[in-house]
Structure formats: structure tokens, C-alpha cells
């Protein structure tokens, strides 16, 4: 997905699902999340949302007693819902995406700071898609230090891309503050 080849990501996710029965429950959920995201990127929005519904069956928080660090332990119900927000944004439904992500954010464990920053980024992108540049910038500005602390170049790159998108609104104080802080990474 990150290399810009969503059709290949769909194929790879479908190939991985052939071995689904042999995987721990959280990995089964994680595979469905990745498959859903790749389908949404290719325009298969309904199929993506159905996969996310199915992923909840195997979410890590539905299987208590598993040690942190097990493959897929990050794939909680909240993580799945953040990806639902991403899929809704990709389906041109940014207001719904914002609501779903807002509900999911408090459920992301603090130790998963990169996932939290990614969720904030997706919410900021939904605000931008909804033509809400102030909220997009404020949300992205909140994600920026978390992404820095996590050392995520991918998130920083995506935040910079969002900065380019909201740059036309740099007269707004929230946008200007985000862009000024973002310059520290370039």
C-alpha cells in the first residue's frame, strides 16, 4: 500500500488469507484490516466495510489473556474502527470518517503511539476532505510530535503531504502554526 500499488496489495492480502486458519485470532483480524484498506483504495468500499465488520470477530481485545507483543496484538476493536474511518474517507464520506475515528481514538492503547498518530493523521485527512482546514491543521499538529517521538518517517511524510494540501489556507492561524512546526522536519 505504501508503495502506491493498491491492486498488488489486494492480491497479497488475498494470498495471505489462504493461510488464515493457521493464524492466531489477532493476525486474522489484522489481515482483514489490511485487505479492507487495500480494497477501499481500489474503490471496493462496500467489500472493505464488510471485511472490517468480520475483523471484529478476531480483534485482540476480544481474546483476553494474550501477551502483549503477540503477532497482531495491536489489532484491537479500536484499531479496526480507525481503519473503518480511513475506508469511509476513501469512499468520499469524510464526516462519517471523522465521527468513527473520534469514537475509536480513546480506545487505542497509549503504548501504540504510532497507531494513535496514524489515527490522528487519518482524522486530519478527513477534515481536509470535508473542507475543514482549521480542524485538519489542528488535528495534524497534534499528531506531529507523536509521529516525531515514534520516529515514523512514513507518518512525517504523510503529514508533510497534508501540509501541502492545507497550504492554500495558510492565512488561518491553526494552519500557519501547523505549517511552521512542520518546517522543522524539512
Amino acid at each position: 500500500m505504501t508503495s502506491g500499488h493498491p491492486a498488488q496489495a489486494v492480491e497479497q492480502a488475498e494470498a495471505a488469507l489462504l493461510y488464515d486458519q493457521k493464524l492466531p485470532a489477532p493476525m486474522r483480524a489484522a489481515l482483514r484490516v489490511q485487505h479492507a484498506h487495500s480494497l477501499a483504495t481500489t474503490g471496493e468500499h462496500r467489500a472493505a466495510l464488510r471485511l472490517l465488520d468480520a475483523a471484529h470477530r478476531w480483534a485482540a481485545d476480544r481474546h483476553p489473556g494474550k501477551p502483549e507483543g503477540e503477532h497482531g496484538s495491536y489489532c484491537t476493536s479500536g484499531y479496526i474502527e480507525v481503519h473503518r474511518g480511513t475506508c469511509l474517507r476513501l469512499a468520499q464520506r469524510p464526516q462519517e470518517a471523522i465521527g468513527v475515528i473520534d469514537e475509536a481514538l480513546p480506545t487505542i492503547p497509549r503504548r501504540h503511539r504510532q497507531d494513535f498518530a496514524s489515527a490522528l493523521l487519518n482524522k486530519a485527512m478527513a477534515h481536509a476532505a470535508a473542507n475543514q482546514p482549521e480542524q485538519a491543521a489542528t488535528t495534524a499538529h497534534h499528531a506531529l510530535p507523536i509521529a516525531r517521538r515514534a520516529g515514523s518517517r512514513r507518518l512525517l511524510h504523510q503529514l508533510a503531504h497534508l501540509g501541502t494540501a492545507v497550504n492554500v489556507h495558510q492565512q488561518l492561524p491553526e494552519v500557519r502554526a501547523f505549517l511552521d512546526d512542520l518546517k522543522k522536519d524539512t
Side-chain angles (χ1 to χ4, degrees), residues 7-95:
Q8 286 180 338
V10 169
E11 291 172 11
Q12 290 173 350
E14 288 171 352
L17 284 171
L18 295 175
Y19 303 97
D20 186 53
Q21 303 268 328
K22 298 178 181 181
L23 298 172
M27 279 305 298
R28 295 175 84 175
L31 279 175
R32 282 163 178 76
V33 168
Q34 292 305 309
H35 191 198
H37 192 160
S38 59
L39 284 172
T41 303
T42 63
E44 297 290 329
H45 306 295
R46 287 189 180 141
L49 295 174
R50 282 192 305 270
L51 272 170
L52 293 171
D53 290 340
H56 278 286
R57 177 177 175 193
W58 297 286
D61 52 345
R62 303 248 171 144
H63 299 276
K66 300 292 183 183
E68 176 61 29
E70 176 184 285
H71 289 301
S73 63
Y74 61 88
C75 195
T76 62
S77 297
Y79 179 89
I80 294 166
E81 288 304 297
V82 166
H83 281 274
R84 182 181 307 279
T86 300
C87 291
L88 288 167
R89 178 181 53 80
L90 291 169
Q92 310 298 315
R93 295 161 60 184
Q95 286 302 134

Side-chain angles (χ1 to χ4, degrees), residues 63-169:
H63 299 276
K66 300 292 183 183
E68 176 61 29
E70 176 184 285
H71 289 301
S73 63
Y74 61 88
C75 195
T76 62
S77 297
Y79 179 89
I80 294 166
E81 288 304 297
V82 166
H83 281 274
R84 182 181 307 279
T86 300
C87 291
L88 288 167
R89 178 181 53 80
L90 291 169
Q92 310 298 315
R93 295 161 60 184
Q95 286 302 134
E96 288 177 71
I98 292 164
V100 167
I101 294 170
D102 271 341
E103 282 188 37
L105 278 168
T107 68
I108 298 172
R110 287 193 153 290
R111 66 185 171 274
H112 296 164
R113 63 179 173 204
Q114 189 166 334
D115 291 334
F116 190 77
S118 181
L120 287 172
L121 170 65
N122 278 300
K123 182 181 175 202
M125 292 168 72
H127 279 299
N131 198 27
Q132 300 169 346
E134 298 102 332
Q135 293 93 329
T138 299
T139 304
H141 202 184
H142 185 61
L144 189 56
I146 302 167
R148 284 180 180 141
R149 282 192 306 273
S152 175
R153 289 185 194 184
R154 179 184 57 82
L155 286 175
L156 291 171
H157 176 75
Q158 290 175 317
L159 285 163
H161 184 71
L162 180 65
T164 302
V166 298
N167 190 46
V168 297
H169 302 283

